[in-house]
Amino acid sequence: SSGINAEYGGPAQCLAANENEAIDVLLVTDTLFRSTDIAERRKYVRLVENVRGYGGTVHIFSSLHGSGEKLGLLSGVAALLRFPMPELEDLTLDDSDSDSDDNNK
């Protein structure tokens, strides 16, 4: 990697970046893997597997550690990208829930 091009936090941004195999480093809290919501837990397990599958690095932080606690306050997931994706700036944290809303219509 030629250096950090962009940094994004939030589920919507990380999932969109993953679709483009843009994540160089994924930061995620262990809390997301222990979620009682099975769909949410699977979503993050798939994200980690995908990032590792295309050569990205994954760091899982303990929610009991200071850095994991801080990441948890920011949504529990963040990514450093391999290349800029300016379109991610238009996504909000609320966009990550749009899939479930569409299924209820």
Side-chain angles (χ1 to χ4, degrees):
S1 151
S2 61
I4 298 169
N5 289 304
E7 176 180 339
Y8 287 97
Q13 290 88 350
C14 291
L15 293 170
N18 176 59
E19 289 174 13
N20 291 283
E21 297 188 358
I23 297 176
D24 191 30
V25 179
L26 180 69
L27 312 173
V28 62
T29 62
D30 61 352
T31 307
L32 296 175
F33 291 101
R34 292 196 315 256
S35 173
T36 55
D37 179 339
I38 294 170
E40 179 178 3
R41 189 167 61 226
R42 284 184 182 150
K43 175 171 65 175
Y44 289 105
V45 168
R46 272 196 312 269
L47 177 62
V48 165
E49 289 172 349
N50 288 342
V51 171
R52 286 180 174 155
Y54 58 75
T57 302
V58 177
H59 296 286
I60 299 173
F61 291 86
S62 168
S63 57
L64 302 177
H65 190 273
S67 56
E69 210 173 277
K70 288 179 185 173
L71 182 58
L73 293 174
L74 297 173
S75 78
V77 63
L80 304 176
L81 304 187
R82 298 174 172 185
F83 50 85
M85 290 187 66
E87 62 272 23
L88 295 182
E89 294 174 18
D90 297 333
L91 296 176
T92 65
L93 291 177
D94 295 337
D95 289 341
S96 63
D97 296 329
S98 64
D99 290 342
S100 59
D101 292 343
D102 290 344
N103 293 336
N104 294 332
K105 290 180 182 170

